[in-house]
Amino acid sequence: MLVLRLLNVVAPAYFLCISLVTFVLQIFLFIPSMFRDPSTTPLFSPALLHGALFLFLSANALGNYVLVIQSSPEDLGKGLNLGEGAEVVADWLDGSRSPGSALPSTHFCRLCARVTQRHDHHCFFTGNCIGSRNMRNFIMFCLYTSLACLDSLVAGMAYISAALSMSFANPLAFLTLLPHSISQFFSGALLSSEMFVILMLYLWLGIGLACAGFCCHQMLLILRGQTRYQVRKGIVVRARPWRENLQEVFGKRWLLGLLIPVLNVGSDYRRQKEK
């Protein structure tokens, strides 16, 4: 339990550190290197277009990251008659206790110390549980993080290609870049800044693929009307059309949330159904 609490503090700090390093590299290294092309007009220069795209992706990723933290799942423990004894609260530690006033997917998180509705999982990179209120923001966070990593990967490869006078036309060039760079770095033929960028390339690739895969898996569960917690516990859910499942999470104003980070309005549909 101590290790999980420590991870709950270290993981968000690690993500913020990677985000800061990515922002610094893009603004002070990659984008300025694109201004060297005199063949384009300033308005449509690759540097300005790439900078605008990167700022858009970064603003959405960080904005939804903040909303995931702020829009915590509902604390149902106050509204449920859980009793005052420690033995009653202990029944919630494994998520097996489910009062009649709660949904079967309610779960007590030991790290958050609360019972949340439609619990999906505890995200260590946000230090928060993912539930009904912040599921949409969490998916948008994963989507824009993967896109921002892909954008940084492409910009970093362009910078390394120009700095080292190499081509990535051969797919094996990227796979063999790291071992060759390590040998050149220790022989003194490669600068430390260039070696750092090469290491970040593989880090962006790993984070981007992980976020993209997690986002696709989460979308598949939403289409089925399930959560990761329900799948793990073997809880059977009522079959509904996939459009209703999407609208329950993303709400009617889904396009607005796709373009800018806004509060989750996915619960509006459920409240209308309850009325």
Side-chain angles (χ1 to χ4, degrees), residues 26 29-55 151 154-155 158:
Q26 285 272 15
L29 190 62
F30 299 159
I31 295 179
S33 64
M34 298 179 185
F35 278 104
R36 300 173 183 174
D37 186 8
S39 62
T40 57
T41 59
L43 183 60
F44 298 100
S45 64
L48 293 180
L49 294 178
H50 173 76
L53 177 62
F54 173 72
L55 291 178
D151 178 82
V154 173

Side-chain angles (χ1 to χ4, degrees), residues 16-36:
L16 293 177
C17 181
I18 294 298
S19 301
L20 179 60
V21 171
T22 302
F23 184 82
V24 171
L25 289 177
Q26 285 272 15
I27 299 300
F28 297 101
L29 190 62
F30 299 159
I31 295 179
S33 64
M34 298 179 185
F35 278 104
R36 300 173 183 174

Side-chain angles (χ1 to χ4, degrees), residues 132 136 247-251 263-270:
S132 58
R136 196 273 305 275
Q247 193 171 4
E248 183 180 17
V249 175
F250 293 94
L263 291 175
N264 195 347
V265 294
S267 58
D268 294 343
Y269 179 77
R270 189 191 310 114

Side-chain angles (χ1 to χ4, degrees), residues 105 118-119 225-235 237:
S105 57
R118 286 194 63 82
H119 176 83
Q226 295 177 310
T227 63
R228 293 180 61 188
Y229 173 74
Q230 291 173 338
V231 174
R232 187 172 68 253
K233 292 296 182 179
I235 300 176
V237 297

Side-chain angles (χ1 to χ4, degrees), residues 6 8 14 17 22 24 28-29 76 108 138 141 144 156 162 192 203 208 221-222 228-229 272-273:
L6 182 61
N8 203 43
Y14 172 77
C17 181
T22 302
V24 171
F28 297 101
L29 190 62
L76 299 181
F108 178 83
F138 176 75
F141 160 68
Y144 280 105
S192 57
L203 185 61
L221 292 178
I222 291 176
R228 293 180 61 188
Y229 173 74
Q272 293 177 0
K273 296 283 288 187

Side-chain angles (χ1 to χ4, degrees), residues 120-196:
D120 188 86
H121 69 284
H122 182 89
C123 177
F124 289 98
F125 285 98
T126 60
N128 199 8
C129 276
I130 307 301
S132 58
R133 291 185 60 187
N134 55 7
M135 174 60 73
R136 196 273 305 275
N137 295 121
F138 176 75
I139 294 177
M140 290 295 100
F141 160 68
C142 292
L143 174 63
Y144 280 105
T145 299
S146 62
L147 293 178
C149 288
L150 176 61
D151 178 82
S152 301
L153 176 63
V154 173
M157 291 175 63
Y159 173 81
I160 291 298
S161 178
L164 302 182
S165 300
M166 62 177 301
S167 175
F168 289 97
N170 187 358
L172 296 179
F174 183 80
L175 299 178
T176 58
L177 176 62
L178 183 60
H180 290 170
S181 301
I182 293 177
S183 61
Q184 292 179 2
F185 174 74
F186 285 105
S187 64
L190 191 66
L191 299 177
S192 57
S193 60
E194 296 172 347
M195 185 63 200
F196 180 76

